[in-house]
């Protein structure tokens, strides 16, 4: 049986390796050029790759191998588990999959090409964020927020169709809906995730209520209105997913004259995780037609790792670059002797955790001091406010992640319900931001993740929990240097315990091997709530 498994793997690898690379390259090119031609190529390549997993004869073989119970070698067992789930996800009529990919590509184009129209001018997402962050005029803020929300009606009907399509696919292979399928096939139990979210809701609610009062009284003063007049556009961000700047530290000013790309290269090199090869292949700055977000991609699991960004000299992009390169080093320093299937993160949220662990440094005064961005006097001056700001950021984000997780779960359980209302009910409950009077728009559809990165968002919050767990472990056991700057022990630890093993262990086993404990919320609570 083990020999049969080995034969299966070698035949699988000969098919998947070239198509995996081709599909990632095509997607990379399309995200940069934004042209119809490149998107068509990307669509075809994704389809060809996904088609591998629809092979029913191959799935039957995996099913037999799994049922035999005779695969004992740990590398083979792990590959069997991962491949079984991958093929199970593909046991659907290829025409349905093709349709799904086409729907996703069409929606993706609409997001990429959308620019908010405000007073006759086309504004990019970055420009909308600029207004929301800096203007103090309610009318301007409302116009920017509403202008951006006009992407909602452009894509909402398409998204509902796509959600139903995804559910059809999930039911055909024995799941209740796509949400349940996504979690289970990625090795997560929905009940376990919901339990963690409930626990976190309880841990953060009282603190958040208190902080929200502070936020509201700050904004009422800033805009010269009553707290009861505050609306979603008053929170300095399209979704209130990031902390409003209620504390006096303006991190952007420290980065105005900095080059975030140089800083990120210097930092990672200093901790023994050089990223020059990644940066050399990356696409870092804004261009017309280009995807306005940021991501990191492992093109071939053999060292071609890239990140797409739209870097500006500010704290947001410093954080984003540190984050994306965190994903980058996780892939880059994976053990290349592992089989192809295991040259990947233990789970998507474990790579998010590494990305978050590093992203947080962008507003850490100790890190900024050690990186030569500010001096000791300034670092001391902003220490207290920075700590409060990060705490606020974490609590605000945790409430927003609740909205995303609960909305998606409910949407897939019943896509026919009033989603506009569901969205605002969830926002009001977890973020405590009131719906504008009489508003009945598909505001949920303006968040690109709901359409294109489905049932994934909860992983960002699990990633924050694990980032806190790692930070606590590393600063207790590996280094006394709270900023990691210049300490190669950090890079060595991460390489050995986290990056090299790839996905050879089940994620909670990897975490236990690396930190001595399974995933727990207690270090996040210790860091940000108590
Ligand atoms: Zn990420």
């Amino acid at each position: 049986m083990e020999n049969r498994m080995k034969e299966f793997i070698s035949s699988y690898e000969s098919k998947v390796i070239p198509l995996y690379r081709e599909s990632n390259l095509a997607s990379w090119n399309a995200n940069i050029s934004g042209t119809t031609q490149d998107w068509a190529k990307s669509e075809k390549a994704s389809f060809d790759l996904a088609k591998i997993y629809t092979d029913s004869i191959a799935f039957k073989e995996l099913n037999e191998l799994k049922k035999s119970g005779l695969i004992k070698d740990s590398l083979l067992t792990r590959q069997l588990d991962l491949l079984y789930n991958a093929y199970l996800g593909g046991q659907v009529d290829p025409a349905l999959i093709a349709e799904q990919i086409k729907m996703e590509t069409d929606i993706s184009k609409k997001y990429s090409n959308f620019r908010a129209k405000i007073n006759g001018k086309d504004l990019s997402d970055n420009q909308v964020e600029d207004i929301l962050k800096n203007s103090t005029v309610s009318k301007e803020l409302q116009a920017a927020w509403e202008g951006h929300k006009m992407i909602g009606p452009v894509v909402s009907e398409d998204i509902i169709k796509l959600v139903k399509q995804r559910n059809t696919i999930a039911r055909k292979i024995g799941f209740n809906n796509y949400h349940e399928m996504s979690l289970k096939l990625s090795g997560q139990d929905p009940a376990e995730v919901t339990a963690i979210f409930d626990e976190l809701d309880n841990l953060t609610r009282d603190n958040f209520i208190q902080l929200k009062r502070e936020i509201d009284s700050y904004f009422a003063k800033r805009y010269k209105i009553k707290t009861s007049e505050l609306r979603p556009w008053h929170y300095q961000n399209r979704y209130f997913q990031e902390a409003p700047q209620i504390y006096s530290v303006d991190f952007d000013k420290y980065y105005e004259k900095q080059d975030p790309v140089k800083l990120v290269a210097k930092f990672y090199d200093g901790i023994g995780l050089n990223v020059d090869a990644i940066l050399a292949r990356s696409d870092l700055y804004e261009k017309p037609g280009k995807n306005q977000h940021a991501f990191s991609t492992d093109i071939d699991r053999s060292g071609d790792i890239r990140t797409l960004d739209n870097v500006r000299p500010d704290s947001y992009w410093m954080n984003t670059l540190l984050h994306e390169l965190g994903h980058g080093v996780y892939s880059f320093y994976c053990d290349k002797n592992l089989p192809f299937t295991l040259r990947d993160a233990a789970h998507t949220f474990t790579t998010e955790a590494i990305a978050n662990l590093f992203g947080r440094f962008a507003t850490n005064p100790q890190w900024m001091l050690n990186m030569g961005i500010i001096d000791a006097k300034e670092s001391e001056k902003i220490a207290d406010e920075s700590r409060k700001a990060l705490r606020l950021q974490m609590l605000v984000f945790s409430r927003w992640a609740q909205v995303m997780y609960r909305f998606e779960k409910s949407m897939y359980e019943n896509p026919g319900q009033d989603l506009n209302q569901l969205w605002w009910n969830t926002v009001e409950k977890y973020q405590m931001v009131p719906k504008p009077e009489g508003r009945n728009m598909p505001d949920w559809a303006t968040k690109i993740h709901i359409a294109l990165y489905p049932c994934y968002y909860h992983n960002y919050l699990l990633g924050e929990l694990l980032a806190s767990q790692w930070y606590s472990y590393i600063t207790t056991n590996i280094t006394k240097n709270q900023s990691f700057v210049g300490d190669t022990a950090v890079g060595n630890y991460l390489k050995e315990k986290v990056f090299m093993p790839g996905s050879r262990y089940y994620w909670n086993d990897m975490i236990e091997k690396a930190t001595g404990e399974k995933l727990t919320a207690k270090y996040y609570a210790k860091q940000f709530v108590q």
Side-chain angles (χ1 to χ4, degrees), residues 323-324 327 351-352 355-356 456 460:
H323 179 106
E324 296 309 334
H327 287 302
T351 177
E352 285 309 329
N356 293 338
Y456 181 80
Y460 291 119

Side-chain angles (χ1 to χ4, degrees), residues 54-321:
T54 63
D55 183 343
S56 60
I57 296 164
F59 179 67
K60 205 170 145 253
E61 172 72 355
L62 286 169
N63 204 13
E64 272 177 37
L65 290 166
K66 201 175 165 70
K67 283 207 174 121
S68 79
L70 292 170
I71 310 295
K72 302 285 184 200
D73 174 81
S74 66
L75 285 184
L76 291 178
T77 319
R78 181 70 180 146
Q79 288 177 89
L80 177 56
D81 285 346
L82 293 171
L83 289 172
Y84 179 86
N85 280 346
Y87 275 83
L88 176 58
Q91 295 312 298
V92 191
D93 180 357
L96 286 177
I97 303 260
E99 216 175 307
Q100 181 194 324
I101 292 174
K102 176 153 188 354
M103 289 162 111
E104 287 167 348
T105 308
D106 286 347
I107 293 171
S108 180
K109 272 187 248 176
K110 289 186 179 177
Y111 279 109
S112 270
N113 295 329
F114 178 79
R115 296 292 182 271
K117 265 209 188 347
I118 295 152
N119 298 328
K121 267 192 224 150
D122 281 358
L123 300 189
S124 69
D125 287 353
N126 268 338
Q127 289 169 313
V128 169
E129 288 289 333
D130 273 352
I131 297 172
L132 291 176
K133 206 163 163 183
N134 299 312
S135 169
T136 53
V137 183
S138 281
K139 270 195 175 151
E140 250 173 53
L141 294 167
Q142 185 173 355
W145 186 86
E146 286 175 348
H148 160 73
K149 288 288 183 271
M150 291 314 292
I151 180 67
V154 177
V155 290
S156 62
E157 292 302 316
D158 293 355
I159 298 173
I160 293 170
K161 277 187 208 141
L162 175 59
V163 164
K164 289 179 177 167
Q165 176 82 2
R166 286 172 177 156
N167 274 349
T168 303
I169 287 172
R171 288 194 190 106
K172 289 215 185 236
I173 52 172
F175 295 96
N176 289 312
N177 61 62
Y178 185 81
H179 187 267
E180 184 198 77
M181 178 184 94
S182 300
L183 268 68
K184 286 194 172 163
L185 291 186
S186 89
Q188 287 172 336
D189 174 5
E192 200 182 342
V193 174
T194 302
I196 294 178
F197 271 67
D198 286 345
E199 186 195 349
L200 264 173
D201 178 25
N202 290 330
L203 277 171
T204 54
R205 193 186 307 114
D206 291 348
N207 265 263
F208 184 72
I209 290 171
Q210 220 178 318
L211 278 169
K212 180 72 175 23
R213 257 187 235 126
E214 242 181 89
I215 293 170
D216 284 355
S217 72
Y218 170 85
F219 281 134
K221 251 184 242 152
R222 177 181 165 96
Y223 304 121
K224 301 188 177 65
I225 55 179
K226 292 189 206 113
T227 51
S228 61
E229 290 166 342
L230 288 166
R231 292 295 172 270
W233 44 86
H234 288 122
Y235 292 85
Q236 289 189 322
N237 174 271
R238 286 169 293 162
Y239 306 101
F240 190 32
Q241 71 180 71
E242 281 159 39
Q245 299 183 330
I246 68 168
Y247 298 110
S248 57
V249 194
D250 168 19
F251 290 102
D252 284 346
K253 77 172 183 220
Y254 302 120
Y255 290 102
E256 265 170 14
K257 298 208 169 68
Q258 295 288 341
D259 180 348
V261 177
K262 273 196 187 137
L263 286 169
V264 89
K266 184 175 139 194
F267 169 66
Y268 277 103
D269 186 53
I271 60 169
L273 301 170
N274 186 288
V275 293
D276 291 349
I278 304 174
L279 289 172
R281 292 169 184 268
S282 295
D283 198 284
L284 300 170
Y285 303 101
E286 287 179 88
K287 285 175 190 170
K290 177 178 159 181
N291 179 327
Q292 299 186 70
H293 305 90
F295 64 83
S296 171
T297 175
D298 184 347
I299 299 284
D300 59 3
R301 297 190 185 173
S302 294
D304 183 353
I305 288 116
R306 311 173 181 192
T307 165
L308 178 147
D309 304 90
N310 293 273
V311 177
R312 290 180 168 201
D314 59 27
S315 63
Y316 173 84
W317 282 104
M318 187 71 248
N319 180 315
T320 302
L321 262 187

Side-chain angles (χ1 to χ4, degrees), residues 435-491:
K435 180 179 90 158
E437 293 74 8
R439 188 164 179 87
N440 183 17
M441 291 276 283
D443 295 328
W444 52 274
T446 69
K447 187 66 187 168
I448 192 169
H449 297 72
I450 287 176
L452 300 178
Y453 312 98
C455 311
Y456 181 80
Y457 218 86
H458 63 282
N459 287 310
Y460 291 119
L461 188 57
L462 297 181
E464 295 291 5
L465 303 188
L466 181 54
S468 289
Q469 189 168 340
W470 261 321
Y471 187 70
S472 170
Y473 182 84
I474 291 170
T475 52
T476 309
N477 300 287
I478 306 298
T479 178
K480 296 285 164 244
N481 179 348
Q482 303 279 314
S483 75
F484 299 1
V485 173
D487 199 334
T488 53
V490 175

